[in-house]
Amino acid sequence: RRLAVVGSGFIAAELGHAYGALGSQVTFLVRSRFLKSEDPDAAAAVERVFRQRHQVLLGVHPVSISHDADRGFTLLCEGPAGARETVEADALLIATGVQPCTGALNLAAAGVACDARGYIRTDSRLRTTAEGVWALGDIIGRHAYRHTANVEAEYLERTVLLGKDEGPLDYGPVPHAVFTRPEIGAVGLTEPQARAAGYGVVVFRSDYADASNAGLARGLEEGFVKIIVERGTGRVLGAHVVGEEAASVVHLFIVLMKKRGTLKDLRELIFIHPALPEVVRDAIRGAAVGEAHT
């Protein structure tokens, strides 16, 4: 009936959202902010909706946790300025990060080395430090996604089992999604990352609720597309979609970025009407007349 979630990454958000959708009263204990690896605008949009649907305690962390057969879990939490409050729950989800499980494998006996974090060391062809041993997936510490593990497995099938020489594995732009409501789909740099990397940045954005796209027809009140563009070249550095079908809409940018595409390439496309990708067209319409915020 009551679930307490310690953590604010995509695992905490997805599982907490799922239980909330099924009727649980969910309390999130967030040390800093929701989804801090996401673009700030995307994370803020999800946090805003979550605070309407769940109890979200920001800037807090548990200092003690106890369990009683009758009362369930009791969490004593400390917040800003040392303020403390108690959270009670029937179930507790700890989702504060992941660690590799290599410690129990005795890999050194096989000549397989790990890095300082405990992940298996691999080169650009997924070879470990042991002859004839390759590694892929979460355990190599690159991308913790099923879709990148699939790419790695298919690469090894071609290069190791079938003997094709393809050179180093090229991941290209690696996308990801957060399957909450609202949903997030993203690829490339966030706005702070692009600015920190020294790019001159122009940002284009359009909301799902705009009358010129399918969002109006579906009655969608939340969601947007945000495009991070390099000033001068028009090259797309990153894209962040929040809202219905976000994980699907963002695929348009994966292809574009793989081919080092620009806003000009997007403007030349014909978008089906009325379909949600039209929100992408709406976001870049301003590019033709210089309407963008920086």
Side-chain angles (χ1 to χ4, degrees), residues 36-123:
K36 60 184 178 182
S37 63
E38 300 297 326
D39 185 87
D41 287 343
V46 173
E47 181 181 299
R48 182 172 58 254
V49 175
F50 269 43
R51 296 186 74 173
Q52 295 170 354
R53 299 173 180 170
H54 315 290
Q55 183 179 22
V56 178
L57 303 180
L58 297 175
V60 304
H61 64 279
V63 294
S64 70
I65 300 175
S66 61
H67 181 267
D68 180 87
D70 296 322
R71 298 179 58 185
F73 290 92
T74 299
L75 293 82
L76 178 61
C77 304
E78 185 172 280
R84 293 195 171 190
E85 63 180 296
T86 299
V87 174
E88 295 186 347
D90 305 305
L92 174 64
L93 169 64
I94 303 292
T96 54
V98 297
Q99 293 181 331
C101 60
T102 50
L105 298 180
N106 195 21
L107 293 175
V112 176
C114 295
D115 63 20
R117 300 175 300 160
Y119 291 100
I120 294 176
R121 286 172 47 191
T122 56
D123 64 10

